[in-house]
Structure formats: C-alpha cells, structure tokens
Amino acid sequence: MIRSDPTAQGVLSRRRLILWGGSAGGAILALALLWVLCGPFLAGAAFRAALARSGFPDVRFERASVGASEARFDKVALDPESFSTIETIAATYGLWDLIVHGRVKTLRLSNAVLTGEWEPDTGPRLAGWSGGAPGQTSSSRGKLNALPVESVTLENIRVDMATTEGGITLQGNGSLSRTPDGGAAFQAAVEGKQYQLSLQTALSGKRAPDGTWSVEANIQNGRLNLDSCRLSRIDGWISATGGPGVPQPTLSGQLTAGKFVAGWLQMQSLSASVDGTPNSPHVILNAAAAGVPGLGIAAELRDGTLVATLSAQKPSDLRDYLMLAAKSLGRAPPPDRAIPKGFSALTLTARREATPADQPTVRRYSLSLSLIHI
C-alpha cells in the first residue's frame, strides 16, 4: 500500500499556487504594459470613430493623455484646414465600453471655434461637418445621435457664420444628457455681441425614445442690424415640436420689438404671435408707425392669405409719417398729390392661388386694395 506524503503534497500545492500566481501576475503585467503602449492609440481611434459617426470624419489632435478611465485631447481640429477647432476634449469612460462599444460616460468640450456659412438655399454648413445642414435630414439627425455618450458639456463655444448679410458670431455654453427613459435633453445659453446681431438666448429641448422632439428659445434684449432691415429691443419666445412621420414641425411663439426699419416701412411697439407650421403659419402682427403713434398697422397671415390694414386716427397721420420717413432716409417727401387727403384706412389683401398641376414651381397671388377716406 502506497501512502502519500502530506508534506510533499503541500509543497506541490504551494508550487502550483506560485506558478498560477506568477502566470496571472505576468498576464496582468502584460495587459498593463499593452495598455500603456497601445492605450492612447486605441482610445484615440475610438474617439475618432465616434466623432466620424457624428459627422466629423477628419478629426485630428496634437496631444493625447489617456488613462484607464479618462482621457484628454488638446488642440483638436475638425477639418483639414483647421477652420473649426476645439482647444480641449476631456472624457471619462469604462475602458471596455470605450474600446469595444465606443461608449463614453462624460464628454467636455472647452474653447471651441466652429466656422461655417449660411446660404439661403442650403442653410448652415460647418467646416468639417459632413452631414449637410445640421438637422435638415433624417440621416444627419442619425449621425448626431450616433455618438453614444451619457452627458456632454460645452464650455465657451463660439460659432462664426458667414452670411449674405455679413459675418455673424454667437457664443455660449450648454449641456446634453441622456434621460432615464432613453431619450435626451439639452440646455444652452447663447449670446451675440456685435453690430449685426446682439442677443441673449436661453435654449432648451428634449428628444423622446420614439423620436418626438421639442425645442424652445427665450430671447432677451435682441438687436438685428442688416443692410436690408433693422430690428431693436427684441424679446419673447418661440418653440417647435416634431417627430417621425410629421412632415413639418409645429411652431408657437410670441415676440415684441421696440422698432423695425426696412426702407419706407418704419414701425415701433411691435407685437407678434405665431403658430402653425413653416409651410402654413398663422401670424398676427400689430404695430404703430414710427413717430406717428396714431397710424397703426395690423396684419394677419392665415392659410396663405395675408390681410394688412393701415389705419389713422387723424387725416394728417399718413402725411406726417411719410414726411418723417423721407427725412430719416435722406430723400424728398412724396408730392402732395400722391398722398390721399382725408386718409382713414387702407387694407391690402394678398391670397396665394392654387399651384397649377402642370407647373408645380409656379406661385400665383391675387391682390386687392381697399381705401377709406374721411
């Protein structure tokens, strides 16, 4: 009968444990060394891929500092010419989620400059952005939703936009976060401080898991100075809602302004309300003629028909207004024979006619005038 030696068995067990521990330690050390050597490359590649899915395929950065749970990228360029740049991108993440799934817990973008242009026919475009005008199509919205991140913080973001009316600059801060139900919500404070555009705006919005969304903007102390018009002391709010299967968003809002000037059209104490859709808005506008508060303007746009009425409290109100407007424009006033005497009210009605079936691009309108004398 062969008996085992307990002492020898204990020695063998300890040897196996030492060997196993050494192997495990070696594996951990090898993984740690692999992370030290390859971590920056893997994390950088993961961030590039995530930003590419979000519509920025040409991202590059000068420096990367990568750890097991956080990373920082400095001097980030979003386009080959470095027109759109971000000073710093800082992120926190789970290492496995980042490398395997591309998921990020938090993302902070600091000191960004986004450069672009706004054309009337194509809308806004940003340097480095490959998705067309942001928010225009379902594919571009899909790219924006492709970045799997729990929360995004935007610090000191500036947008320089070239337009047909000159350059517009906006800057602000904001945040975007996932909601517990799988949707998303955002908040932002945006301001402009320049001759063409000056305003303070608070933005908020949310997107539900089913794709429905809502956005609201509150405007304070706004001012617009363009070659075609000037608008001052703008206050109010406007909101929009939409979702899948809804061809046009629903609008709602109220705005007031101290003064509006566009050539001979010069108004003060404006108030306006809007609802409906962009293609079929319902707008109500009331204002007084600048310098002649007795001359009032009331207009309503509904179902493609515009009805605007200019009414006077005194027979001389229209003449007084035209004299003041001519003086402000540096022009000669209209001759007396061109100004109706005893003017009381003028109503203009413009209706959009049905589009011919064989000419879908043709727009036809009918106009009618009604003049009332005292």
Side-chain angles (χ1 to χ4, degrees):
M1 180 177 182
I2 301 174
R3 296 182 179 180
S4 60
D5 186 351
T7 303
Q9 287 184 350
V11 171
L12 289 175
S13 297
R14 285 193 295 273
R15 288 178 178 175
R16 292 192 187 97
L17 182 61
I18 292 172
L19 290 173
W20 180 88
S23 300
I28 293 173
L29 182 61
L31 289 173
L33 181 60
L34 180 63
W35 169 246
V36 170
L37 295 176
C38 300
F41 172 78
L42 295 175
F47 274 103
R48 284 192 184 95
L51 289 170
R53 291 195 301 271
S54 299
F56 294 97
D58 299 317
V59 174
R60 67 183 190 281
F61 38 83
E62 292 185 7
R63 294 188 301 273
S65 175
V66 180
S69 60
E70 59 184 12
R72 175 183 170 119
F73 303 89
D74 295 311
K75 305 294 183 183
V76 182
L78 301 178
D79 63 282
E81 291 78 21
S82 298
F83 291 132
S84 294
T85 61
I86 304 173
E87 185 70 22
T88 302
I89 298 178
T92 63
Y93 46 81
L95 182 58
W96 179 262
D97 282 342
L98 173 65
I99 296 177
V100 177
H101 303 292
R103 286 199 293 261
V104 176
K105 291 181 180 178
T106 65
L107 193 64
R108 187 178 76 251
L109 284 67
S110 303
N111 303 319
V113 177
L114 305 178
T115 304
E117 59 183 4
W118 192 314
E119 295 290 343
D121 296 333
T122 60
R125 294 182 180 275
L126 295 175
W129 171 255
S130 65
Q136 271 192 336
T137 64
S138 59
S139 62
S140 65
R141 286 194 296 269
K143 290 185 176 183
L144 286 174
N145 293 329
L147 183 59
V149 59
E150 293 300 320
S151 67
V152 178
T153 301
L154 307 175
E155 299 176 344
N156 191 26
I157 308 300
R158 192 181 86 206
V159 178
D160 294 330
M161 193 70 66
T163 74
T164 55
E165 298 283 354
I168 299 295
T169 297
L170 297 173
Q171 60 186 87
N173 304 284
S175 63
L176 171 68
S177 60
R178 298 286 182 184
T179 55
D181 62 359
F186 81 90
Q187 292 182 334
V190 179
E191 64 177 3
K193 295 181 179 180
Q194 61 187 109
Y195 176 78
Q196 291 95 334
L197 178 65
S198 176
L199 55 76
Q200 293 179 338
T201 304
L203 300 171
S204 62
K206 59 184 178 180
R207 184 180 186 276
D210 62 0
T212 58
W213 56 268
S214 64
V215 178
E216 182 171 333
N218 289 275
I219 304 171
Q220 293 182 345
N221 198 26
R223 186 183 71 248
L224 186 67
N225 286 305
L226 303 177
D227 294 337
S228 57
C229 66
R230 300 195 308 274
L231 195 60
S232 62
R233 301 193 304 277
I234 309 167
D235 291 283
W237 62 273
I238 187 166
S239 66
T241 59
V246 179
Q248 290 284 314
T250 300
L251 305 176
S252 179
Q254 293 181 350
L255 294 172
T256 62
K259 191 172 184 180
F260 173 78
V261 176
W264 287 91
L265 183 59
Q266 302 182 13
M267 299 183 291
Q268 65 186 25
S269 303
L270 288 83
S271 64
S273 64
V274 59
D275 57 63
T277 67
N279 283 349
S280 182
H282 178 209
V283 181
I284 298 176
L285 172 70
N286 290 279
V292 186
L295 188 65
I297 301 172
E300 181 175 11
L301 174 65
R302 181 196 289 269
D303 298 329
T305 298
L306 172 67
V307 179
T309 299
L310 180 68
S311 58
Q313 294 181 1
K314 298 186 300 183
S316 62
D317 281 344
L318 179 59
R319 175 180 174 79
D320 293 343
Y321 167 73
L322 292 174
M323 296 292 287
L324 288 173
K327 184 178 180 179
S328 69
L329 295 170
R331 298 181 182 179
D336 288 341
R337 63 179 181 276
I339 303 175
K341 295 181 179 180
F343 173 81
S344 177
L346 172 68
T347 298
L348 167 69
T349 302
R351 291 186 175 88
R352 187 175 66 186
E353 303 294 339
T355 301
D358 58 340
Q359 297 175 303
T361 61
V362 173
R363 297 291 182 267
R364 292 179 178 175
Y365 298 87
S366 61
L367 298 176
S368 63
L369 287 173
S370 175
L371 179 63
I372 301 175
H373 294 270
I374 295 177

